[in-house]
Amino acid sequence: MLSISGKDFFQYGQQPLLPTLPFNFSNYEVAWASMSSTYFNNTVIIGTSVAVILIFASLTSFALARFSFPGRKVLFYFVLAVLAIPPTVILVPLFMLIVNMGLLNTRWAVILPYAASQSFAILVFYTFFSTLSKEIFESAEIDGAGFFQMYIHLGLPLARPIMSSIGVFLIWIQWNDYIWPSLVLSNPELQTVALKLVVFYLGRGIPEPGQGMAASVIAADPAGDLIWFLVICGHLLPA
């Protein structure tokens, strides 16, 4: 992908796989001009939904793992049952719900369904909190700590590695999601990186494999460090 991203159409025809010189940084300039606006949209969508999932999933799993109350097992089994439902089964009813709520072509149409998908995170958090020693929480309870105090001062600090792992997994899933954003986001200004990548490939009249692969490199690098480096090199290096 990196090799082809630096080729023009003639270089690609002569040598489609191995690197060739000169490296065409202009491919990244064209691709970045088309896709840069989607990074802000994706950052808002992913940042908001992942934060909501981590907060509420950890709260739910902490209560399920550390406290006994009526219906606790039923609630946990319900969470497990939700995991068994394929996402494609609920696409149509979820789309109709978004339409009836008047959220079509808004960021909320993506943020709310993403934030509601908490079953996997609850299961992972629950497994972790269940393994913690009961004596720690009993000591805190004797000292007068309530539920939120134990959650903030004991549960969250101990669950930092789990939160970071779930966060990375969720960001990866949502960054590459194409099906749901393609249903609810037709406005080009609100499209995600995955959607813009497909539009970039299909919407160009003349096939340019180098520019297409440059767009793929941009889409595969959320941090954008490599893209900025290549764009800057394109301006600094002599023609």
Side-chain angles (χ1 to χ4, degrees):
M1 185 170 65
L2 286 171
S3 174
I4 297 176
S5 69
K7 300 177 185 292
D8 57 24
F9 191 78
F10 176 78
Q11 289 173 323
Y12 180 78
Q14 293 293 319
Q15 179 53 262
L17 295 179
L18 298 179
T20 56
L21 294 175
F23 191 93
N24 293 279
F25 293 99
S26 59
N27 290 343
Y28 283 88
E29 296 179 1
V30 173
W32 182 254
S34 175
M35 300 185 64
S36 60
S37 61
T38 62
Y39 271 79
F40 172 76
N41 187 44
N42 252 30
T43 302
V44 171
I45 290 174
I46 293 175
T48 305
S49 59
V50 170
V52 171
I53 291 174
L54 292 178
I55 293 173
F56 287 96
S58 59
L59 271 170
T60 303
S61 56
F62 185 76
L64 290 173
R66 307 311 314 175
F67 297 93
S68 297
F69 53 88
R72 171 174 166 267
K73 289 187 177 180
V74 175
L75 181 59
F76 179 68
Y77 290 145
F78 176 77
V79 172
L80 293 180
V82 173
L83 283 173
I85 302 175
T88 52
V89 173
I90 62 173
L91 279 180
V92 173
L94 188 57
F95 177 78
M96 296 304 299
L97 178 62
I98 293 298
V99 171
N100 293 334
M101 294 176 65
L103 297 177
L104 201 62
N105 265 323
T106 65
R107 291 192 180 99
W108 292 111
V110 183
I111 292 175
L112 292 179
Y114 280 172
S117 303
Q118 301 184 17
S119 298
F120 174 77
I122 291 174
L123 178 61
V124 177
F125 274 121
Y126 176 85
T127 304
F128 171 76
F129 286 134
S130 298
T131 62
L132 298 180
S133 174
K134 292 194 297 184
E135 286 76 11
I136 300 176
F137 298 94
E138 290 174 353
S139 300
E141 193 172 0
I142 292 173
D143 291 337
F147 172 80
F148 286 103
Q149 289 176 314
M150 286 189 284
Y151 167 75
I152 294 174
H153 297 291
L154 291 177
L156 286 185
L158 294 172
R160 265 187 249 173
I162 304 298
M163 295 188 74
S164 61
S165 300
I166 295 176
V168 169
F169 178 77
L170 293 174
I171 290 172
W172 172 67
I173 291 292
Q174 296 178 12
W175 185 270
N176 293 293
D177 187 20
Y178 173 79
I179 296 178
W180 180 248
S182 67
L183 290 176
V184 297
L185 296 179
S186 60
N187 186 351
E189 297 297 325
L190 296 176
Q191 289 180 340
T192 61
V193 170
L195 289 179
K196 189 67 76 172
L197 180 62
V198 175
V199 173
F200 186 84
Y201 266 98
L202 300 180
R204 306 182 66 82
I206 303 175
E208 285 288 346
Q211 295 177 5
M213 285 298 177
S216 298
V217 173
I218 293 175
D221 182 29
D225 297 332
L226 177 62
I227 289 79
W228 282 114
F229 172 76
L230 293 174
V231 171
I232 291 173
C233 287
H235 287 288
L236 296 181
L237 294 181

